[in-house]
Amino acid sequence: MTGARGSWCSENFPSGGRGLEQYAAAMAAPCRRGRQLLLLLVALLRATEPHSQPGWPVPYRRFDYRPKSDPYCQARYTFCPTGSPIPIMKDEDVIEVYRLQAPVWEFKYGGLLGHLKIMHDAVGFRSSLTGRNYTMEWYELFQLGNCTFPHLRPNIDAPFWCNQGAACFYEGIDDAHWKENGTLILVTTITGIMFNQMAKWVKYDNDTGIYYETWTVRASPDQQSVVWFESYECSKFVLRTYQKLADLGAVFNNIQTNYTTITLFSGEPIYLGNETSIFGPPGNRTVAEALRDFYSPFKPPRAVKEFFWNLLKIIDQVILQQRFYLFYNLEYWFLPMKSPYIKITYEEIPLPNRNKSGFGL
């Protein structure tokens, strides 16, 4: 790791952009030579502003359509194996809406991750006319690890991401799965008309919000602190669905609802660029090498020894060197990390009130 640090002393920094001075200072911290050269380089580049961030948090980007997945991306567990189209309900139907929550990977580890409050969220429906039950959830197409960290492929400079997420709708509610280690509780009732309107919104939401974002990034653990980036995962889909139902007229029961958030803590993020500006022909070799070097220890280990060696590298980068590289909206950001670095919380987010807009609707 000493060699990797030394490579920053005399190489190129991003050719302009917001936060360049802080980024140069952060990356030059381990260096012992070339400080005057770096300061001169920063002074020459400060006037260039190719990216403007109007405010925080950075808005999650929506797209015009969902692209096909690259065949390189493979899921260990098939996405939505029993999925079915959302049915059209009769207008006069009365449909019960359920809050569903269970530990992540409950099917494999039981309630283990529930002790850490690492939970997965979904929504359940029951038609009074037909008696049929349905489950709707939003999750990763290629598992959580692929959505959080990229693949580093031989002879290809740019990291490769398999980070799509999508909605899954299927008939039935697995009572045992949700009840044994989690939650299955009625939160509201809606009409068939409201359900059908929600279904149209789900299609739009699913077609335009296509990339899974694991991390929330904040300035500090203080609840009033600045949020730099918001996650986009299963619980956010459930919250958006609840809000949509409230906007359509649903009245929710007065119950407490908590959700899992995985938060990184950093100073103000620094924009670095996208794949083309960093890894393309006019790109920045130093930033490209730093990104690949950072993501390298996050690859799945092939042996126990490799796991512990990679863990030491991650601790060195994130805690000792206080650096993290975030991929958000198909762009790379530098996070100057600070204590407590990362935290898993299980926070209360109340059920919505009618006509109170939120969650990106």
Side-chain angles (χ1 to χ4, degrees), residues 11 14 16 23 47 54 86 107 118 135 161-162 178 187 202 215 361:
E11 297 289 349
Y23 181 64
I86 301 179
F107 68 93
I118 302 177
T135 299
W161 293 85
C162 298
W178 301 107
V187 291
V202 168
W215 310 106
L361 292 171

Side-chain angles (χ1 to χ4, degrees), residues 62 86 97 123 125 136 187-191 193-206 235-252 259 350-361:
R62 290 192 174 271
I86 301 179
V97 182
V123 184
F125 303 95
M136 183 172 71
V187 291
T188 190
T189 57
I190 60 176
T191 66
I193 294 174
M194 294 160 66
F195 180 92
N196 295 334
Q197 290 175 318
M198 179 210 69
K200 293 178 181 179
W201 168 83
V202 168
K203 183 179 186 309
Y204 158 80
D205 187 79
N206 191 55
S235 69
K236 296 299 190 292
F237 174 73
V238 170
L239 289 167
R240 292 194 305 277
T241 301
Y242 288 164
Q243 185 62 59
K244 184 62 180 180
L245 292 177
D247 292 343
L248 292 172
V251 178
F252 284 83
Y259 303 89
L351 289 165
N353 295 320
R354 182 174 178 178
N355 297 328
K356 183 179 178 181
S357 182
F359 306 110
L361 292 171

Side-chain angles (χ1 to χ4, degrees), residues 291-306:
L291 286 167
R292 289 185 62 87
D293 182 64
F294 174 79
Y295 288 126
S296 178
F298 290 98
K299 64 181 182 294
R302 291 167 292 185
V304 175
K305 181 179 179 181
E306 183 181 10

Side-chain angles (χ1 to χ4, degrees), residues 90-230:
K90 293 185 177 180
D91 292 355
E92 64 272 20
D93 202 350
V94 176
I95 298 160
E96 298 173 336
V97 182
Y98 292 88
R99 164 176 162 82
L100 307 179
Q101 188 178 75
V104 169
W105 297 323
E106 190 267 351
F107 68 93
K108 187 173 183 180
Y109 300 113
L112 178 62
L113 293 179
H115 296 297
L116 300 175
K117 297 299 182 182
I118 302 177
M119 310 296 283
H120 172 67
D121 297 273
V123 184
F125 303 95
R126 181 183 181 276
S127 166
S128 297
L129 285 180
T130 66
R132 290 183 175 179
N133 300 323
Y134 303 92
T135 299
M136 183 172 71
E137 52 191 337
W138 195 97
Y139 64 100
E140 325 87 70
L141 267 65
F142 306 106
Q143 279 76 67
L144 181 60
N146 284 322
C147 287
T148 309
F149 299 106
H151 294 264
L152 300 178
R153 299 184 293 178
N155 304 317
I156 299 177
D157 288 338
F160 186 80
W161 293 85
C162 298
N163 57 337
Q164 283 198 45
C168 173
F169 187 96
Y170 53 94
E171 186 169 350
I173 295 177
D174 186 347
D175 289 9
H177 169 70
W178 301 107
K179 280 185 176 179
E180 186 173 351
N181 296 297
T183 300
L184 193 164
I185 187 169
L186 179 70
V187 291
T188 190
T189 57
I190 60 176
T191 66
I193 294 174
M194 294 160 66
F195 180 92
N196 295 334
Q197 290 175 318
M198 179 210 69
K200 293 178 181 179
W201 168 83
V202 168
K203 183 179 186 309
Y204 158 80
D205 187 79
N206 191 55
D207 287 346
T208 61
I210 59 180
Y211 291 113
Y212 191 102
E213 300 289 353
T214 302
W215 310 106
T216 293
V217 186
R218 303 182 69 102
S220 78
D222 184 349
Q223 287 300 307
Q224 303 304 314
S225 66
V226 177
V227 177
W228 308 120
F229 300 92
E230 292 184 312

